[in-house]
Amino acid sequence: MIFNPYPYQQFCIDNIIYNHAVGLFLDMGLGKTVITLSAVHDLRYNRWEVMKPLIIAPKKVAEATWTTEAKKWDHLNMMRVVPVLGTEQQRLRALSTPADLYVINRENVKWLVDHFKNAWPFDMVILDESSSFKNASSQRFKALKLVRSRIKRIVELTGTPSSNGLEDLWAQIFLLDGGARLGKTLGAYRDRYFIPGKRNRTTIFSYEPKEGSFEMIKQAISDICISMKSSDYLTLPDVIHSDIPVALDSRARKAYADLETDLLLQVDEDTITTGSAGVLTGKLLQLCNGAIYDADKRAVKVHDCKIDAFLELVEQLNGQHALVFYNFQHDRDRLVEALAKYNLNVRVYSRAKDEIDWNNGEIDILLAHPASCGYGLNLQQGGHHAIWFGLTWSLEQYEQANKRLHRQGQEHPVVIHHLIVQGGMDEVVLDALQNKSDMQNALMDALRVRINKLHS
């Protein structure tokens, strides 16, 4: 295919070429991959300013997306893109293979830095989904920070730079400018732009932005970051959200109520921590979906109420294909078992061929975990229905997953179906997602309300 960039795409390409550090905070569907590859191609072949570029990406994206995209366009199809994946021996072999561009998954960043140490060879680094480097305490951030001075050019790509709040920005901007704009440390950033939020006598659980912080931060990083919304540049079909209530039968209602009571009575408002909150809601969300892991990590089936609602929805689609997001492995296993009774081509997403087959109309139901296919995949040609069998607390994963269908090239309105257990934790998660609220605060508040009811 011949690439004729839109004006906004050329603007982004030029910014990568003429700036040594840039954050492209582009909405999903605007073509971040071809924009970046085109800029790298120009820098590598026409200007001789880059010798060994590296892309750090989510694993599934690293496996296929960058290689596929390079082959897709006439001006890029001669680029040698080498994925650095697999076992250590396979990764070492890939690194010794001549290439124009290397792609590694973000989980192996520390290994890569430890391997090269002071001999770090990559003069340009592209962070595909830079939001995965938002945690300043993570090994991947610390590792990249060690070699940042040896990187001449850096590009950050994401559509969701601060899905959980403005705190997410510090680590990403630090990798761009070394702390010049938002402070040398996370503590300094917090002191300048935030005040303590939820806290007890010894621990601060969250920080709230000071009045005017958003505008000040935006102004501080405006010269190094480009933010664009797809609605400003693309005409996309509508997105329709359809919430499907799921009523539990009497046996399932009792099981849910008993579990909720037993779990919540183990803690009180002062002793809930992030860890305990995650365990509590994880168990309740599992039970909403119909099964729960026991102490031996075995899935114990409790009810089929949500499975039945799901099968009814599939029947109502009358043959239209659906992308189905599950949360837990036992969700996936029970969905596969339930769908086996029907004359449908069902596939669990696991490799690049699944993307191809889906877009060719060869898959009726594609099951996927939002963490495994939430980035980079173009699934808009295979259908326009997404079904959330089990919701995620991650706003970033939720929005990214939905954008697999709602992107450039989609010809039909995209319908996002949510299967929601009435009176269950599903409702709390969906409310937090739809209000784009701070997930951690919403979770803690919801649990405190329920605990207070039990103790009153």
Side-chain angles (χ1 to χ4, degrees), residues 319-323 343-347 352-366 378-384 405 410 412:
Q320 297 182 83
H321 301 171
L323 175 60
N343 186 27
L344 295 170
N345 189 339
V346 179
R347 189 92 55 91
K353 189 175 186 303
D354 298 329
E355 177 183 0
I356 296 171
D357 291 347
W358 164 266
N359 283 323
N360 287 337
E362 299 174 13
I363 301 175
D364 297 306
I365 303 292
L366 181 61
N378 296 297
L379 301 176
Q380 67 271 29
Q381 295 173 351
H384 59 281
L405 299 182
Q410 177 59 258
H412 306 279

Side-chain angles (χ1 to χ4, degrees), residues 185-211:
T185 66
L186 178 58
Y189 176 59
R190 284 172 172 166
D191 289 343
R192 183 173 183 181
Y193 295 107
F194 298 85
I195 57 174
K198 304 276 185 187
R199 66 188 300 174
N200 60 22
R201 286 189 295 270
T202 59
T203 306
I204 299 174
F205 296 111
S206 64
Y207 289 85
E208 303 292 338
K210 295 178 181 177
E211 185 176 353

Side-chain angles (χ1 to χ4, degrees), residues 17 24 49 92 132 203 205 218 222 263 266 327 332 343 348 358 391 411 435:
I17 291 172
L24 296 185
E49 293 188 23
L92 291 172
S132 62
T203 306
F205 296 111
K218 186 172 70 171
S222 61
L263 289 174
Q266 294 175 17
N327 198 351
R332 176 199 64 197
N343 186 27
V348 178
W358 164 266
L391 287 167
E411 298 178 352
N435 289 315

Side-chain angles (χ1 to χ4, degrees), residues 144-420:
L144 200 59
K145 180 182 175 183
L146 287 175
V147 295
R148 177 61 183 90
S149 62
R150 300 178 182 274
I151 300 170
K152 295 179 180 178
R153 290 178 172 269
I154 186 166
V155 178
E156 294 186 359
L157 309 173
T158 184
T160 50
S162 57
S163 61
N164 293 322
L166 293 173
E167 277 190 271
D168 290 354
L169 285 173
W170 180 81
Q172 297 174 76
I173 302 303
F174 181 90
L175 289 176
L176 289 177
D177 68 1
R181 288 165 179 79
L182 297 184
K184 296 289 185 181
T185 66
L186 178 58
Y189 176 59
R190 284 172 172 166
D191 289 343
R192 183 173 183 181
Y193 295 107
F194 298 85
I195 57 174
K198 304 276 185 187
R199 66 188 300 174
N200 60 22
R201 286 189 295 270
T202 59
T203 306
I204 299 174
F205 296 111
S206 64
Y207 289 85
E208 303 292 338
K210 295 178 181 177
E211 185 176 353
S213 286
F214 176 77
E215 289 301 324
M216 287 190 291
I217 292 170
K218 186 172 70 171
Q219 180 63 32
I221 66 175
S222 61
D223 65 321
I224 203 171
C225 297
I226 299 168
S227 178
M228 294 180 176
K229 292 287 186 183
S230 59
S231 57
D232 296 332
Y233 298 94
L234 302 177
T235 302
L236 293 174
D238 291 337
V239 175
I240 302 167
H241 290 87
S242 173
D243 297 340
I244 301 166
V246 177
L248 299 181
D249 57 33
S250 57
R251 180 173 170 272
R253 281 200 307 274
K254 184 178 185 305
Y256 185 92
D258 289 347
L259 177 67
E260 183 177 44
T261 301
D262 291 343
L263 289 174
L264 295 181
L265 286 178
Q266 294 175 17
V267 296
D268 58 41
E269 183 175 356
D270 293 326
T271 61
I272 279 192
T273 64
T274 301
S276 66
V279 172
L280 290 171
T281 54
K283 294 288 187 184
L284 295 174
L285 286 173
Q286 286 181 55
L287 196 52
C288 281
N289 295 351
I292 192 167
Y293 289 116
D294 64 14
D296 298 320
K297 305 296 183 182
R298 293 176 300 190
V300 178
K301 176 181 168 183
V302 180
H303 66 83
D304 282 330
C305 301
K306 189 177 276 194
I307 288 279
D308 293 341
F310 167 76
L311 294 175
E312 289 179 0
L313 174 58
V314 170
E315 183 179 352
Q316 292 167 11
L317 294 180
N318 292 316
Q320 297 182 83
H321 301 171
L323 175 60
V324 180
F325 296 112
Y326 62 87
N327 198 351
F328 304 99
Q329 288 188 13
H330 60 63
D331 295 342
R332 176 199 64 197
D333 297 340
R334 289 184 301 115
L335 286 168
V336 169
E337 181 182 359
L339 290 166
K341 304 171 186 176
Y342 297 83
N343 186 27
L344 295 170
N345 189 339
V346 179
R347 189 92 55 91
V348 178
Y349 176 81
S350 63
R351 53 183 180 165
K353 189 175 186 303
D354 298 329
E355 177 183 0
I356 296 171
D357 291 347
W358 164 266
N359 283 323
N360 287 337
E362 299 174 13
I363 301 175
D364 297 306
I365 303 292
L366 181 61
L367 302 173
H369 193 281
S372 69
C373 80
Y375 303 99
L377 296 183
N378 296 297
L379 301 176
Q380 67 271 29
Q381 295 173 351
H384 59 281
H385 287 274
I387 302 174
W388 284 88
F389 182 82
L391 287 167
T392 173
W393 274 101
S394 171
L395 177 63
E396 179 180 354
Q397 283 186 7
Y398 175 76
E399 291 186 335
Q400 291 273 7
N402 288 336
K403 277 294 185 179
R404 298 314 98 208
L405 299 182
H406 189 243
R407 56 199 299 112
Q408 196 169 9
Q410 177 59 258
E411 298 178 352
H412 306 279
V414 174
V415 185
I416 311 296
H417 306 271
H418 307 113
L419 293 167
I420 305 299

Side-chain angles (χ1 to χ4, degrees), residues 19-38:
N19 293 290
H20 285 73
V22 62
L24 296 185
F25 297 162
L26 307 188
D27 207 358
M28 292 154 279
L30 288 177
K32 295 190 291 289
T33 307
V34 68
I35 286 171
T36 307
L37 285 173
S38 298

